[in-house]
Amino acid sequence: MATIQPAKKNQQVRTVADLVDNIQELTVEIQELYTLDAIPWVIGYSGGKDSTAILQLIWNAIASLPLEKRTKTIYVITTDTLVENPYVSAWVRKSLEQIKVAAKQQQMPMIPHLLHPELKETFWVGLIGKGYPAPRRKFRWCTERLKISPSNRFIRDVIRVNSEAIVVLGIRKAESSSRAKRMKEWQAKRVRDHLSPNMNLPNSLVYSPIEDWRNDEVWLYLMQWENPWGYSNKDLFTMYRGATADNECPLVVDTSTPSCGSSRFGCWVCTLVSEDSSLKAMIQNDEEKEWLQPLLDLRKELDIETEDRNWRDFRRRTGDVQLYERNIEGEISVEPIPGPYIKEAREYWLKRLLTIEQQLRSKAPENMRDITLITPEELSEIRRIWLEERHEFDDSLPRIYMEVTGEVFSDPRPGADYSLLGTDEWAVLEEICEGDAMHLELMAKLLDTERQYRKMSRRVGIYDTLEQCFKTSSRSPEEAIKNAHYKRDLKTAAGSGDVEKVKQLTLGDVALTSEAEPKTWGTMKFKNKKSE
């Protein structure tokens, strides 16, 4: 039996009898709302306590209706980010399978859907492929891509077909003060009880029947009312009891939702919180789950915000150097904003991830031996980004995959293994560039740009693309940063009306360019060759 927790001051204190009355009232409300029109419902189901309670409440209410009134489709959607806690992910998948079977047997209008982020937006494609650093509060690139977009995309499709949709969520005011504040704002715009306009999705409403329930009331309902699709709520409680926090990762439909990492069950890679308390507790409380320790180790290694500058490019992904003011022990230093992970760092993370996947598969229980940390499709997309966008035609992914797994990487993308340039050409280019990273990058970009345009029937735009290669990769890091400082100082002086400073900077630049050629990588390199 779940422990009854005291209500907060701003929460209504209700007895068990009051909760029973409230459930009966909500049952009638659900039935009336369901039969009122033909607008389809979409229930956000994460497999946690709140979403289980809301789905159970809806299921039982609709099951009490005669068959001829169960005509409106109710979609049950779950988003798998592909970096979920392995046990929770398995729990939810099996739950959806059971919902599908039970709905058919009981003639219920429930249709479950397991959603995923788009391939180009998965966590590992972002971090290893594009080089995004691990998420931070000022760069929370994961939530929108992994959580919000998949569910909103599904809901938009429902709206596109049916013109409208009602989104049913197990959100509660007791989740957090920010959630309570946001829900209070929604109340002012309500069309009826528990039904609010969806500010993020036009032509949809949010229905939140259990918004006033306390945590103990949710557990009381789950423990005392039987799960209608045949899943065990007691097993759910046992899974919760194995950890320390008190909220599961909810279906996220807007950025006001707290970070999944601070919830009961979130993404195991989440660096938006100090640690993954649920996974840590699972491992500490159950020796049979100690095989998951490498996940905690990798997550800790990803959380190196103040130590990863040597792993980051001095430019942004666009190739531009952008400066910011950094406070170092009370001293303000103007430095480049660290960009994406460099090639060596991205290759390291890939090798580390594949190695851990191999370790887990060798130590996992029999029913978890097929655990997958990164899918073949994600590996293929990472490979494509490295080849086509980063111009790294040495094609290191298959080599790393073979080194770690001992197997040949079978790329699911048609024609992925065909290339005019490869490892041999890269090795020759490295030798020619004599360890000069910028020289190597520029040459690789120029050669690969020519290769890519060679396959086109019309080579329109090739000169612009080649010019962009020189613009982003021809300067040495020192000269590129110096140029960024010059532009910043000139802009600051012009903005403040400092005419003398503008003249000084402008004349200084003219003098520099008249006395000598600009110090780009190209001019320095070829000048050295001429002088030999």
Side-chain angles (χ1 to χ4, degrees), residues 3-16:
T3 302
I4 301 296
Q5 300 178 4
K8 295 179 181 178
K9 290 183 179 180
N10 61 345
Q11 287 182 311
Q12 180 183 3
V13 178
R14 291 188 295 199
T15 64
V16 174

Side-chain angles (χ1 to χ4, degrees), residues 148-328:
I148 298 175
S149 292
S151 56
N152 282 1
R153 189 163 51 244
F154 183 92
I155 296 168
R156 286 193 188 97
D157 288 342
V158 172
I159 295 172
R160 193 175 294 115
V161 174
N162 300 277
S163 300
E164 297 175 280
I166 291 178
V167 182
V168 187
L169 299 177
I171 53 178
R172 297 181 299 110
K173 295 173 184 175
E175 288 181 70
S176 66
S177 57
S178 60
R179 170 59 72 188
K181 181 180 178 181
R182 186 64 179 269
M183 292 178 72
K184 188 175 181 179
E185 293 173 358
W186 291 351
Q187 280 183 303
K189 302 176 182 179
R190 284 192 166 165
V191 296
R192 60 170 289 175
D193 288 346
H194 305 130
L195 202 60
S196 308
N198 191 333
M199 303 305 172
N200 301 288
L201 292 169
N203 294 342
S204 67
L205 297 169
V206 173
Y207 182 44
S208 50
I210 64 170
E211 60 184 27
D212 294 316
W213 285 23
R214 304 188 309 268
N215 290 346
D216 57 290
E217 291 177 322
V218 173
W219 282 120
L220 183 62
Y221 175 64
L222 292 175
M223 294 297 102
Q224 299 301 319
W225 277 259
E226 186 178 357
N227 185 298
W229 59 91
Y231 227 45
S232 173
N233 289 343
K234 290 184 179 179
D235 288 346
L236 177 64
F237 178 69
T238 300
M239 188 162 63
Y240 266 75
R241 189 173 55 189
T244 57
D246 201 33
N247 290 309
E248 81 276 12
C249 183
L251 178 85
V252 181
V253 293
D254 61 63
T255 53
S256 72
T257 306
S259 163
C260 293
S262 61
S263 302
R264 159 68 64 156
F265 301 120
C267 303
W268 65 266
V269 293
C270 186
T271 49
L272 293 169
V273 291
S274 57
E275 64 179 10
D276 187 336
S277 57
S278 63
L279 185 57
K280 182 179 179 180
M282 275 188 173
I283 296 171
Q284 289 178 343
N285 298 337
D286 187 349
E287 63 180 15
E288 292 184 0
K289 294 183 174 64
E290 289 181 355
W291 64 278
L292 291 172
Q293 182 62 40
L295 297 185
L296 284 183
D297 296 338
L298 180 57
R299 181 235 165 269
K300 184 176 181 180
E301 193 174 350
L302 285 169
D303 195 10
I304 52 173
E305 182 178 11
T306 59
E307 304 171 13
D308 68 349
R309 288 178 174 269
N310 292 334
W311 288 28
R312 306 270 294 278
D313 202 322
F314 66 95
R315 302 156 295 179
R316 310 306 297 271
R317 287 195 77 233
T318 58
D320 297 327
V321 178
Q322 295 182 6
L323 304 176
Y324 79 116
E325 294 184 354
R326 184 185 180 199
N327 190 325
I328 305 177

Side-chain angles (χ1 to χ4, degrees), residues 59 63 67 70 74 76 95-112 228-230:
W59 190 300
L67 285 176
R70 303 181 201 170
I74 299 178
V76 181
S95 179
L96 289 179
E97 293 170 3
Q98 187 62 33
I99 288 171
K100 184 177 181 179
V101 172
K104 184 176 181 180
Q105 293 174 343
Q106 300 175 33
Q107 295 181 274
M108 293 292 289
M110 311 286 186
I111 303 178
W229 59 91

Side-chain angles (χ1 to χ4, degrees), residues 325-335:
E325 294 184 354
R326 184 185 180 199
N327 190 325
I328 305 177
E329 297 180 354
E331 296 291 330
I332 301 299
S333 174
V334 179
E335 301 179 3

